[in-house]
C-alpha cells in the first residue's frame, strides 16, 4: 500500500486508542496520553522474556493489536488477540497486514475464554480490568481456563500506593482498619471517569495485588509501572469462578 492508501484506511477506522506507527503513519498522533501504549511497552519490555520462540500468546482485550505485534516481534509462534469490539479487531487486522505479521483475531469477551479450550504460555491482560463490571470474575476465569505459565497484567490504579499487612481475620467490631489509606479498595465509578462510561472499577495497589492473589496468581510488580508479572499459584480455597454456574452435586440447579 502507498502512504496515501494507509492514511485513508487508518482514517476509515478512526478513532484509534493505540497510537501505532504503520509504515510511517501514526494512528493516533494527538493521543491524550502521548505515545501510548509505546511508553508502557518501553517501561516493561526489559522485564518480559526476550525470546518467545515456541510460545503461544493470548492477548485479552487486544484493541488495535500493539502488544500482539510486539509478541510476534519477539518470535512467538502463535498470537491470538481477542476483543469484544469489532472495530478494534478491524484495526488490529490492518496493523498486522501492514506490519507483515500473522496474528489470529477473534471477537470474544474475557468472560468467555473457556470457549477457547486451551491454555497459553503467556496471557496479556493490559488495561482491561477497570473496564469490567465483574473484574474478579474475569481474573478467576483466566486462572481457571487460559493462563499456562505467565499472566502479564496492567490496570489503572488510583488511591494509595501503600501496602497494609492485613490480618487473616478481624472481629465484627473492627471498623477503623477499613479507613486505613492502604486498605485494599476497589473504587466504583457509577457514571464516567475521564469522559469514559466504560470505566467501572478502579483499584488501589493493595487491592489489585489482593485480587490477583485471590484469583490464584503470585503477582510480581514491574518497578515504576502499574504492571505485574504473575505466575500461577494455589487458588483461593474460597474462590474460583462462579460463572457459568454448575451444580456441585451434578443435579439440577
Amino acid at each position: 500500500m502507498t502512504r496515501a492508501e494507509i492514511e485513508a484506511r487508518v482514517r476509515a477506522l478512526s478513532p484509534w486508542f493505540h497510537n501505532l506507527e504503520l509504515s510511517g503513519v501514526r494512528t493516533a498522533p494527538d493521543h491524550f496520553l502521548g505515545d501510548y501504549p509505546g511508553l508502557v511497552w518501553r517501561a516493561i519490555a526489559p522485564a518480559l522474556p526476550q525470546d518467545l520462540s515456541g510460545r503461544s500468546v493470548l492477548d485479552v482485550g487486544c484493541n488495535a493489536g500493539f502488544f500482539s505485534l510486539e509478541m510476534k516481534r519477539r518470535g512467538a509462534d502463535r498470537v491470538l488477540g481477542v476483543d469484544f469490539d469489532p472495530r478494534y479487531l478491524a484495526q488490529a487486522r490492518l496493523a498486522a497486514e501492514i506490519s507483515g505479521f500473522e496474528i489470529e483475531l477473534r471477537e470474544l469477551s474475557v468472560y468467555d475464554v473457556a470457549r477457547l479450550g486451551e491454555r497459553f504460555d503467556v496471557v496479556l491482560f493490559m488495561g482491561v480490568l477497570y473496564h469490567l463490571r465483574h473484574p474478579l470474575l474475569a481474573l478467576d476465569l483466566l486462572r481457571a481456563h487460559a493462563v499456562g505459565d505467565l499472566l502479564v497484567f496492567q490496570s489503572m490504579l488510583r488511591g494509595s500506593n501503600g501496602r497494609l499487612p492485613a490480618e487473616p481475620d478481624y472481629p465484627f467490631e473492627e471498623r477503623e482498619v477499613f479507613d486505613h489509606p492502604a486498605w485494599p479498595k476497589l473504587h466504583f465509578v457509577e457514571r464516567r471517569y475521564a469522559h469514559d462510561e466504560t470505566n467501572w472499577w478502579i483499584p488501589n495497589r493493595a487491592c489489585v495485588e489482593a485480587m490477583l492473589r485471590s484469583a490464584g496468581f503470585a503477582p510480581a510488580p514491574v518497578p515504576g509501572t502499574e504492571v505485574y508479572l504473575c505466575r500461577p499459584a494455589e487458588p483461593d480455597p474460597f474462590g474460583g469462578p462462579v460463572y457459568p454456574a454448575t451444580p456441585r452435586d451434578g443435579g439440577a440447579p
Side-chain angles (χ1 to χ4, degrees):
M1 284 183 281
T2 65
R3 182 184 179 91
E5 289 172 333
I6 294 174
E7 289 174 342
R9 293 186 65 181
V10 166
R11 283 195 303 271
L13 291 172
S14 293
W16 294 64
F17 188 67
H18 281 183
N19 185 14
L20 305 174
E21 191 274 316
L22 303 177
S23 294
V25 177
R26 281 284 175 182
T27 58
D30 300 320
H31 201 298
F32 74 101
L33 293 175
D35 185 19
Y36 180 88
L39 54 90
V40 176
W41 174 250
R42 290 190 291 274
I44 68 172
L48 297 176
Q50 297 295 314
D51 184 4
L52 292 172
S53 300
R55 306 279 189 93
S56 59
V57 177
L58 173 65
D59 187 358
V60 179
C62 65
N63 203 280
F66 178 93
F67 295 107
S68 293
L69 294 173
E70 293 299 336
M71 296 297 99
K72 289 299 289 187
R73 289 190 178 98
R74 293 205 169 184
D77 276 13
R78 179 181 177 222
V79 176
L80 170 61
V82 300
D83 206 294
F84 76 96
D85 190 323
R87 183 170 59 86
Y88 287 150
L89 293 172
Q91 292 175 350
R93 289 189 188 94
L94 176 62
E97 177 185 350
I98 295 172
S99 301
F101 289 114
E102 183 178 346
I103 295 173
E104 299 174 49
L105 295 164
R106 287 185 59 178
E107 187 174 336
L108 190 77
S109 164
V110 63
Y111 303 121
D112 294 318
V113 291
R115 288 169 49 191
L116 296 174
E118 60 182 301
R119 292 186 180 272
F120 295 78
D121 298 309
V122 179
V123 174
L124 303 175
F125 194 54
M126 306 286 289
V128 179
L129 185 89
Y130 47 93
H131 293 302
L132 302 175
R133 285 183 65 94
H134 311 291
L136 187 56
L137 171 61
L139 291 177
D140 286 340
L141 291 168
L142 289 173
R143 176 65 179 84
H145 301 292
V147 178
D149 181 55
L150 177 66
L151 172 71
V152 183
F153 170 91
Q154 183 270 336
S155 174
M156 172 169 57
L157 303 177
R158 291 294 183 266
S160 171
N161 275 323
R163 295 176 175 86
L164 178 70
E167 298 295 331
D169 194 6
Y170 289 92
F172 180 78
E173 296 77 19
E174 174 59 59
R175 293 175 179 269
E176 293 183 3
V177 69
F178 298 104
D179 293 322
H180 193 288
W183 180 263
K185 293 183 176 71
L186 193 59
H187 308 284
F188 179 64
V189 179
E190 185 177 4
R191 299 300 182 192
R192 292 178 179 85
Y193 180 72
H195 310 294
D196 188 342
E197 66 276 4
T198 72
N199 288 324
W200 287 105
W201 295 97
I202 308 176
N204 64 7
R205 187 167 291 276
C207 179
V208 83
E209 292 177 1
M211 291 175 70
L212 287 165
R213 290 192 298 268
S214 178
F217 294 104
V222 177
T225 74
E226 298 173 328
V227 177
Y228 290 83
L229 304 185
C230 308
R231 303 287 179 178
E234 287 299 319
D236 186 337
F238 301 103
V242 294
Y243 164 82
T246 55
R248 292 184 180 275
D249 60 0

